[in-house]
Amino acid sequence: MFPLIIINRKKLIDNIENVLKMSRENNIPYITFVVKAFSGNEEILSIINSTSLKSIGDSRIENLKKFQSLPIEKMLLRIPMLSEVRDVIKYADISLNSELPVIEALNAEAKAQNKIHDILIMFDLGDLREGLYYKSDYLPFIKKVLSLQNINIKGIGTNLTCYGGLIPDEIILNRLVQIKNKIENGFSIKLDIISGGNSSSVTLFNQNIIPKEINHLRLGESILFGKETSYSKEIKGLNHDVFLFQAEIIECKTKPSFPDGTITINSFGEVPQIEDKGMITRLILAIGKQDVILENLVPIDENLSILGGSSDHLILESKNNKYKVGNIVTFKINYPALVHLMNSNYVKKDFQ
């Protein structure tokens, strides 16, 4: 049945182990594998159990709830909502936090569940997503959190590149190290985890510029696609084709390339920008914008190119005549496409 996303188990396992090895070689012993792209699909459990992973992370507590059978750490990556505090304590071993009211609520719930809950306090080093701003007076915040009996500050962390596109470098990461030193010296405590970001920090591997205090990264795309995310470059020694996507042709006809009449906005409120190429062979596939951003698909056959589409249709131009109705077209995908396709109930998932 189609549409279908194919996940190569062996290549994914190889990437996991190789990234863990690369991280250790760069003096980062602690890696959390970010699994949010799988949308809680429980097929990932057997893959993780086949590796030496010690930690997984997801942005949604609903997904971590499905992974309770895994005998490894489960980290909630998105700072918690007040409305989900009970489930955070129940299903997450550790969570990322930046708001005192939420941490206080976590403390109360942890007490009710007779648990000590670990947290990473997030610091914004300039990318301007979540976290206490690094130039702010954050020590009073830390003091209040340290007074909470059922909360343990396991460490501190930051997120880079995802919103503001801030590239990690020695200067940026040393801001986190300075925060670490200020907290440890100010309160006579030891922070176990200094989390230096995500797959964008992998670009610093093998350059001897990652501060030695950074001992943890939260990695998704570098494992899944074998790419660092600062410059979107492929990492040597990793698989870059763990995922393939397939969709079925439902129409194959020779038609004009340009609409015949007055053009207005399309179904997504956009004015189509369509090139007049004369008569062309057009393929319609049974996949659409409801399932994926079409521009994030790349046909493996170089004779095919994406023209556009609508909610439920993808339209391709074919420069040869080998395709017919019922044929399957295979695509390479990127990380955003994986996230969308795995979240679509209309796309079949095949772990091979």
Side-chain angles (χ1 to χ4, degrees):
M1 293 291 291
F2 300 93
L4 173 72
I5 185 167
I6 300 169
I7 302 97
N8 188 306
R9 289 175 178 268
K10 183 181 183 305
K11 290 182 177 181
L12 180 53
I13 290 171
D14 287 346
N15 275 10
I16 291 171
E17 295 297 349
N18 283 324
V19 168
L20 291 175
K21 180 174 181 289
M22 291 176 186
S23 299
R24 290 192 300 268
E25 290 171 349
N26 283 270
N27 300 312
I28 300 176
Y30 184 15
I31 295 297
T32 295
F33 177 30
V34 177
V35 297
K36 62 182 180 180
F38 292 102
S39 189
N41 192 300
E42 295 178 60
E43 289 279 351
I44 193 67
L45 293 172
S46 62
I47 293 175
I48 293 170
N49 277 326
S50 301
T51 72
S52 55
L53 280 166
K54 304 299 182 184
S55 175
I56 61 165
D58 202 297
S59 295
R60 287 161 173 77
I61 197 66
E62 296 90 344
N63 294 339
L64 291 182
K65 183 177 181 179
K66 297 177 181 178
F67 298 150
Q68 289 304 294
S69 64
L70 284 173
I72 61 176
E73 179 188 79
K74 289 162 277 290
M75 179 181 288
L76 182 64
L77 299 173
R78 185 172 64 188
I79 52 178
M81 296 182 282
L82 279 170
S83 59
E84 64 183 359
V85 160
R86 180 177 296 177
D87 282 349
V88 172
I89 297 300
K90 187 173 183 179
Y91 299 116
D93 301 305
I94 183 170
S95 61
L96 313 187
N97 284 271
S98 64
E99 285 289 344
L100 188 60
V102 176
I103 299 173
E104 290 173 336
L106 289 170
N107 178 66
E109 183 59 36
K111 183 177 181 180
Q113 294 188 31
N114 195 28
K115 290 182 177 181
I116 301 295
H117 184 68
D118 289 339
I119 66 171
L120 293 186
I121 296 180
M122 298 298 286
F123 284 87
D124 181 353
L125 303 184
D127 194 62
L128 303 179
R129 206 179 73 174
E130 79 274 34
L132 284 72
Y133 192 52
Y134 77 102
K135 292 183 179 180
S136 68
D137 181 13
Y138 47 80
L139 291 183
F141 180 98
I142 301 296
K143 183 178 181 179
K144 289 180 180 178
V145 176
L146 286 172
S147 71
L148 302 175
Q149 294 185 347
N150 291 77
I151 293 294
N152 175 48
I153 302 178
K154 189 75 171 177
I156 59 175
T158 192
N159 188 74
L160 299 168
T161 314
C162 287
Y163 171 71
L166 191 69
I167 295 174
D169 58 26
E170 191 172 11
I171 293 174
I172 297 296
L173 291 179
N174 268 317
R175 292 174 182 171
L176 192 63
V177 174
Q178 291 166 5
I179 293 169
K180 165 197 176 294
N181 293 336
K182 194 171 182 179
I183 292 173
E184 289 185 338
N185 294 333
F187 297 100
S188 299
I189 61 173
K190 178 72 170 68
L191 299 174
D192 294 332
I193 299 175
I194 311 300
S195 186
N198 50 43
S199 291
S200 64
S201 294
V202 175
T203 190
L204 303 178
F205 277 13
N206 303 321
Q207 298 184 53
N208 295 317
I209 61 175
I210 299 177
K212 61 181 176 57
E213 293 86 354
I214 303 295
N215 61 6
H216 175 256
L217 293 174
R218 310 177 306 279
L219 301 181
E221 189 166 351
S222 56
I223 292 174
L224 299 172
F225 288 88
K227 295 172 63 177
E228 55 81 26
T229 57
S230 284
Y231 303 98
S232 197
K233 292 182 179 179
E234 292 183 346
I235 303 168
K236 185 178 180 180
L238 298 182
N239 297 303
H240 311 113
D241 57 349
V242 173
F243 306 94
L244 292 174
F245 174 68
Q246 295 182 327
E248 184 174 339
I249 298 172
I250 56 176
E251 181 179 293
C252 176
K253 295 187 183 300
T254 299
K255 295 183 183 181
S257 56
F258 198 79
D260 186 0
T262 303
I263 296 176
T264 184
I265 58 174
N266 62 22
S267 59
F268 278 75
E270 307 156 336
V271 178
Q273 302 298 315
I274 301 173
E275 180 183 355
D276 190 349
K277 302 180 180 180
M279 300 295 287
I280 60 173
T281 300
R282 303 164 66 90
L283 310 178
I284 299 181
L285 279 61
I287 189 72
K289 296 180 182 180
Q290 182 172 334
D291 307 291
V292 67
I293 298 173
L294 304 179
E295 290 75 15
N296 289 328
L297 305 176
V298 178
I300 287 181
D301 185 346
E302 295 181 354
N303 291 302
L304 299 176
S305 58
I306 293 177
L307 296 174
S310 56
S311 299
D312 311 296
H313 304 78
L314 169 60
I315 304 172
L316 304 180
E317 176 186 359
S318 174
K319 294 181 180 178
N320 59 37
N321 296 316
K322 73 176 185 178
Y323 291 98
K324 61 183 180 180
V325 170
N327 285 170
I328 305 303
V329 177
T330 302
F331 299 84
K332 294 182 288 185
I333 64 173
N334 60 14
Y335 186 80
L338 175 65
V339 171
H340 293 144
L341 292 168
M342 290 298 296
N343 271 279
S344 174
N345 292 328
Y346 306 107
V347 176
K348 313 301 182 296
K349 288 80 178 177
D350 184 9
F351 289 76
Q352 297 184 350

